[in-house]
Amino acid sequence: MNEAKKSEKPLYVTTTLPYVNADPHIGFAYEVLVADVLARSARASGREVFFNTGTDEHGQKIARKADEKGEDRQAYVDHYANEFKKLREGLGLSFDNFIRTTDATHKLAAQTIWRRCLEAGDIYKKSYTGLYCVGCEAFKKESDLVDGKCPDHNVAPEEITEENYFFKLSNYQTFLEEYLGREGVIEPEWRRQEALNFVRQGLEDFSISREESRLDWGIPVPEDATQVMYVWFDALTNYISTLGWPEEEGNFRKFWQEGEVIQLAGKDQVRFQSIMWQAMLKSAGIKNTEKIVYHGFINSGGQKMSKSLGNVISPYELITRYGTEATRYLLLRHVHPFDDADVTREKLDEWYTANLVNGLGNLVARVMKMAETHLKEPVTVNSEAIEEGFVDKIKNHHLNEAFDLIFEHIGKGDAYIQDTQPFKLLKSEDEKVQVEGREIVAKLVGHLYRISEHLEVLMPETAKVIKEAIKTNKKPENLFGRID
Ligand SMILES: [Zn+2]
């Protein structure tokens, strides 16, 4: 570890918490994979890392589903939380904590941040009448509706009147304009402009609680048993409850106060993550998030994935068909970091075969077969620094382009074999020509080693297999099997 690396701040990276009313979605699989690569890359450069993910488990939508099925609510969320936790193995994730919003420590944190915002004068109670979409767990404006229905749920919202607590977002108009005015607090840049424009139009206070009679599956409002916290106010707190907050020392100090904080989220999350959450932090006297990176949606065949269209591709389907490492490859290389992406089963098969079976897998097999047959000893390889361009691609969240760099090297390896034809030289009667052939193979093994070093943060198990093959001078078992 050199001095420059040592001086880099600890990294805190977190995904959003998926809502546990359905099995894991491919969009979340992408998000958590990006977080995993950022975490692995930072650890590899000697930084301390805290990688957070987990599940959002409160709200009336979940309570209703559990009740309909006649299941105990906690047992119901336990089941789904487990489906998400299993992604650790399925996707090869390296997260440090899996926070659940039903954890006792999280509930304490949510109530503490509430009290802090209350003490700051940012929480007040008022009567409110509005159109409420149960699917969204949110009040809707007329302008949000299409033909009188919530466009996300295709259901007409119910008009309800109740007394709720409100958060004075309007107090943070100036602050948020200043915060969002800082370059780099949102990636991509055009989305920061979008958020800034939204704030400049004027902010309205938002409701942060429901009457207990309407919402009884959530965290009670401190000192008012008739009200339960709005699920977003509760869930957003996970980003610090996972670090042990309200305990100010330990992980919270190291990773939030003194570290670099990066949050990942989908493009529909800007108002929650970059506006509401940032105002809550400011109100509670806590440092704001350094950077929030928003990714697009993954569609299939030009349409949003939905059960009714039958075009839902689940992460577990990919893991079963292609395996963990190939699933990492398929999502990280073929989903754009910021724009919407389109995947279909046909395209996935095509990418898998062309790039993993015939590309990477084939190069490793050819080179290591020649090495195993013609080299008496394993090739001595040395670790070298990872290419700067590659590290930059990861730091700037262009993981697809980081993969492109690796595939350029795979292409160069193939071209070198094509040009030098080592398999012919190795069969020569002339000892000098054979030596030349062996030298080419040794160079190719060195080249594979460089490729494996770059693959480490993206496809860690594949990198390990390649390194082991080089160390033992043996062609590995089929890295990527053919699919039917
Ligand atoms: Zn809705």
Side-chain angles (χ1 to χ4, degrees), residues 133 135-136 140 150 152-153:
C133 174
C136 297
K140 296 272 150 182
C150 165
D152 293 332
H153 296 95

Side-chain angles (χ1 to χ4, degrees), residues 31 39 60 77 168 251 290 310 358 363 388 408 437 461 464:
E31 185 176 306
Q60 213 49 17
V77 295
K168 273 192 193 165
N251 280 340
E290 260 91 9
N358 298 337
L363 180 69
E388 229 170 88
E408 270 175 37
E461 286 306 312
K464 210 191 270 177

Side-chain angles (χ1 to χ4, degrees), residues 61 132-138 140 149-155 157:
K61 197 162 35 170
Y132 188 73
C133 174
V134 176
C136 297
E137 308 261 10
K140 296 272 150 182
K149 290 176 179 175
C150 165
D152 293 332
H153 296 95
N154 206 30
V155 167

